[in-house]
Amino acid sequence: PGGPRARGCAGSREVLPTCERYAVRRLPFARLEDRDVAFFERVLPGRVVTSEEEVKPFNVDWLKSVRGCSQLVLKPQTTAEVSQVLRYCHERNLAVNPQGGNTGLVGGSVPVFDEIILSTALMNQIISFDKVSGILVCQAGCVLERLNEYLEQQGFIMPLDLGAKGSCHIGGNVATNAGGLRLLRYGSLRGTVLGLEVVLADGSALDCLTSLRKDNTGYDLKQLFIGSEGTLGVITAVSILCPQKPKAVNLAFLGCQSFAKVLETFTTCRAMLGEILSAYEFMDEKCMDLVERHLKLSCPVTDSPFYVLIETSGSNSTHDEEKLNNFLEQAMASGLVTDGTVATDSKKIKASHLRERITEALTHEGYVYKYDISLPVGKLYDLVTDMRARLGQSAKNVVGYGHLGDGNLHLNITAESYSHSLLDAIEPFVYEWTAGCSGSISAEHGLGFKKKQFIQYSKPREAVVLMQQFKAMLDPKGILNPYKTLPSAP
């Protein structure tokens, strides 16, 4: 079935199609036909991609862990064009996969079957920026790093910073409620996003693109779409509050002999650095080994079981450096830290961002099983230790790093290649362990395709049912990013 345009999903040496690996069944959506492509070409002249080679990169996630079978990529430039596309797809019952920079880690940004890919790559215009309030309004396809570069010229920065900033789109960041390195200082996107423009499944546009910091009229509808992973609507524009660019940025890279020392150092750091503390990251020695071996980067501190990256940002360099030096003196004198280095020069800071390159280094190890967990800070590394003991020699590496300041652990397990038996040893153990500590199975990456069936470990049944009801109300045909985020409704 499917008419003249239908084609099979050929095998790949990189990764099996998601539908085959996970044995998921295609829902009864319509299949793409020539008449559909002809309609899209009229609406989006020159921005309809049908070549198998050109479509291929959009079908595979960044980790090359899941792969869809889409035959078509659409690249709208305006909200009106997104509305036309979704209105047509709703009428035809064609499934749609919204896609930003495709940097997601849970299989939420690529198709499972033959869903039409709706790319925001050309929706990359800055609409406005107010230097007084610091409020930026832009289209959803703006790349995070480009936005930050634009804002720096105005004396501001984005409140969000990610390792994938050179590729990820702000719309995708909002759709997944991405966390990142600056959350400790500036909070989550749920607080900094002031308004959204969203196109619903039936093509109707919802304009909640307010630039007001205070708007207490009725339900805060934008919160429904932040973190909804494109399952409730397609975000087309964002209004976001941006902080002023710090005049003084300092970075310290420290070595600690135990995770208990990492925790004590954080307590001391928070007490002594207070308002200028902007990031507190930790990583274990295995992470550093991989970064040094695969990326040929040198670690400024050697022979430590754990490393800590501290960033301060403020308005007075003399004041900030004095506070940081006082903290370091106390940390060294009390034995919390065994070695360390400080950078105030921006080039040194960039060179020292070893933490951001860990994900890249891990990909050189083969297949990576990635887990993004929120836990009580005191138990953060216990999961890594327990997982190493559980897996033994069946895994190449079990490493842990993350945002200790907000209790976010990134647990990564590597193997030569994908193994179902290894996955069975990891899941659902990792989620049961997390639930036993009243943690969250997804701190900042979302649920996507890979984690949707485990949502019950973090949310009660009543909450899941209510989410399914929201989905049924806003997308009654289920065409928006199907097979993602929520388990199938009963």
Side-chain angles (χ1 to χ4, degrees), residues 172-280:
N173 298 150
V174 174
T176 56
N177 190 29
L181 306 174
R182 292 176 178 164
L183 191 140
L184 179 64
R185 178 67 177 271
Y186 301 117
S188 76
L189 288 172
R190 292 196 180 278
T192 54
V193 171
L194 303 178
L196 294 176
E197 182 179 66
V198 181
V199 179
L200 303 181
D202 65 359
S204 56
L206 178 65
D207 185 357
C208 291
L209 201 59
T210 179
S211 291
L212 300 172
R213 292 188 66 178
K214 287 181 139 183
D215 181 8
N216 208 14
T217 51
Y219 304 130
D220 190 1
L221 295 178
K222 71 175 181 292
Q223 296 295 344
L224 268 180
F225 302 98
I226 299 173
S228 68
E229 303 186 76
T231 62
L232 300 181
V234 177
I235 296 171
T236 54
V238 177
S239 172
I240 188 166
L241 180 65
C242 302
Q244 284 193 304
K245 181 181 178 181
K247 294 180 181 178
V249 176
N250 298 301
L251 186 140
F253 196 89
L254 313 174
C256 294
Q257 290 302 305
S258 68
F259 190 71
K261 298 289 187 184
V262 171
L263 294 174
E264 284 187 71
T265 303
F266 175 60
T267 302
T268 305
C269 175
R270 189 169 50 183
M272 295 187 68
L273 300 181
E275 78 287 351
I276 65 170
L277 179 62
S278 56
Y280 189 97

Side-chain angles (χ1 to χ4, degrees), residues 52-63:
E52 190 167 0
E53 278 305 304
E54 290 182 75
V55 171
K56 185 178 178 181
F58 295 88
N59 265 315
V60 184
D61 72 327
W62 181 77
L63 290 173

Side-chain angles (χ1 to χ4, degrees), residues 253-410:
F253 196 89
L254 313 174
C256 294
Q257 290 302 305
S258 68
F259 190 71
K261 298 289 187 184
V262 171
L263 294 174
E264 284 187 71
T265 303
F266 175 60
T267 302
T268 305
C269 175
R270 189 169 50 183
M272 295 187 68
L273 300 181
E275 78 287 351
I276 65 170
L277 179 62
S278 56
Y280 189 97
E281 305 285 311
F282 90 95
M283 57 224 81
D284 61 26
E285 62 181 338
K286 287 184 178 292
C287 290
M288 283 300 100
D289 289 344
L290 295 175
V291 169
E292 290 182 306
R293 185 176 356 130
H294 295 302
L295 305 183
K296 309 305 178 187
L297 298 176
S298 59
C299 181
V301 177
T302 58
D303 300 325
S304 290
F306 293 91
Y307 299 93
V308 169
L309 184 71
I310 296 171
E311 184 184 80
T312 66
S313 52
S315 58
N316 186 311
S317 58
T318 303
H319 167 269
D320 293 359
E321 287 176 31
E322 183 180 353
K323 292 191 78 165
L324 182 58
N325 287 331
N326 288 341
F327 156 72
L328 290 174
E329 286 178 13
Q330 180 163 325
M332 295 285 283
S334 60
L336 295 179
V337 172
T338 54
D339 194 7
T341 183
V342 177
T344 54
D345 179 283
S346 61
K347 290 182 180 178
K348 289 181 182 177
I349 289 173
K350 288 181 180 178
S352 299
H353 271 178
L354 299 170
R355 155 70 177 82
E356 293 185 17
R357 305 289 300 277
I358 296 172
T359 298
E360 180 186 350
L362 283 162
T363 62
H364 292 269
E365 283 289 286
Y367 190 85
V368 187
Y369 301 83
K370 304 185 76 68
Y371 298 91
D372 161 47
I373 307 293
S374 272
L375 291 167
V377 176
K379 296 180 179 294
L380 206 61
Y381 201 73
D382 291 349
L383 177 56
V384 182
T385 305
D386 287 357
M387 189 60 78
R388 280 184 188 144
R390 177 178 176 83
L391 299 181
Q393 298 300 311
S394 61
K396 284 180 69 176
N397 288 289
V398 179
V399 306
Y401 64 98
H403 319 293
L404 189 133
D406 51 55
N408 183 184
L409 170 71
H410 294 304

